[in-house]
Amino acid sequence: MAPRDHNDVIRSTRDTSGPDGALKMSQQHRQDPIETQADERPSAPTTAGRSALLGAMFLMATSAIGPGFITQTTNFTITLGAAFAFAIVASILVDIAVQMNVWRVIGVSGMRANELANKVAPGLGWGLAGLILLGGLVFNIGNIAGTGLGLNAMLGMEAQLGAVLSVLVAIGIFVSKRAGIALDRIVVVLGAVMILLTLYIALTSNPPVGAALKNSVLPDNIDFLAITTLIGGTVGGYITYAGAHRLLESGTTGPENAGKITKASVIGILVTGVMRVVLFLAILGVVAGGAALAKDNPAASAFQQAAGEFGLRAFGIIFWAAAITSVIGASYTTVSFLTTSKTPARTRQWVTVGFIAVCLGLFLALGKAPVQLLVFAGGFNGVILPLGFTVILWVAWRRRDLMREYAYPRWLLALGAIAWLLTLWLGWQSLSGLQALWNA
């Protein structure tokens, strides 16, 4: 076949508007096998796909960075001082081991955790979904309460009104025509806002960075309760699956994307870790300076001590952003367990709206987040982690058929097994706490 002139190729690709245009195009592709092969190669990720992948990373991170995250970090920093740095580093390492396995199994298989659980043992997925629903429902009441407190600190708005307005924002995201893109963008933007504002406060408070670095590897004391609490708060309950389930909608699935999936899971945990570190340093600087913090809201007090009135308003922004993104993450992930991949997108949207509305109604009826229920939900989070993670590791080890015949890395499975043993201990501790609360 004689070589074709470049201009002829251009003319032939343009001349497709007439009645014979489709035929001409078809003939061109038959005559040029190189172009045909190039067209059949996997296309580059779409903009929507990249947005969803980035959103998955930040959804996991911001779901973990809720009102409880801020309160825990503040209280442990006040109690442990610079030694808390070791607990942060240790928890991040365990979190990475857990999420690398969760994301890899869900991403390669292309199935949600509840769908995998039902494949392993019929009905197990719905049992897991029930636990997720209970924990997500109660924690969302706390998250909604947090949005009201955040707007109160930010603008002086009445807390219940702030909570109602925040819920309307969350509902608006889920009912929008491009709900997925809206979700991805808001969690990324608010995640960045939280980190940058907290970093500014950390620089203002002048923390003893040298002491923190030393204690990150050679701690003055090791507090195992702090480590396990951080792990449960970062990868416990629905948080474990928030990013991985959103990952499925990005299209980044299958064995060919295993490396990309693992990278995304690690970045998501590191985003959470960065926020934890800068918040720790911000509080540490104030505490090390000898300032007395208000007992009713030590985090807000620390921010105000560090940067005056601006610090208090910045705290309000951070607290609201942490709460609203946790409302979004808890709602999205809980509904992903109540539905399947075959459920129409519009149905999932309205179920999510209904879930948020129920949480708001309960918050308004109770007037505040119920402390005992929050403790119970925290205990269930500790139970959900080993149960769900057992399913993940079983699929990785024994159910290659569900993994599209993917040869799961042994080193990653071994790392997961070590983390799994720790989650069993966490689960036992949670059950003990639930029993004590029940008997109280």
Side-chain angles (χ1 to χ4, degrees), residues 19 37 45 49 58 82 96 103 151 169 301 321 324 328 332 339 369 396-397 411 423:
Q37 290 171 7
F58 272 83
I96 288 174
W103 280 53
L151 286 178
V169 170
S301 178
I324 191 69
I328 293 169
Y332 172 85
T339 57
W397 181 38
W411 67 268
T423 68

Side-chain angles (χ1 to χ4, degrees), residues 201-209 281-282 284-286 288-289:
I201 300 298
L203 294 173
T204 304
S205 70
N206 193 28
V209 177
L281 291 175
L284 181 64
V286 175

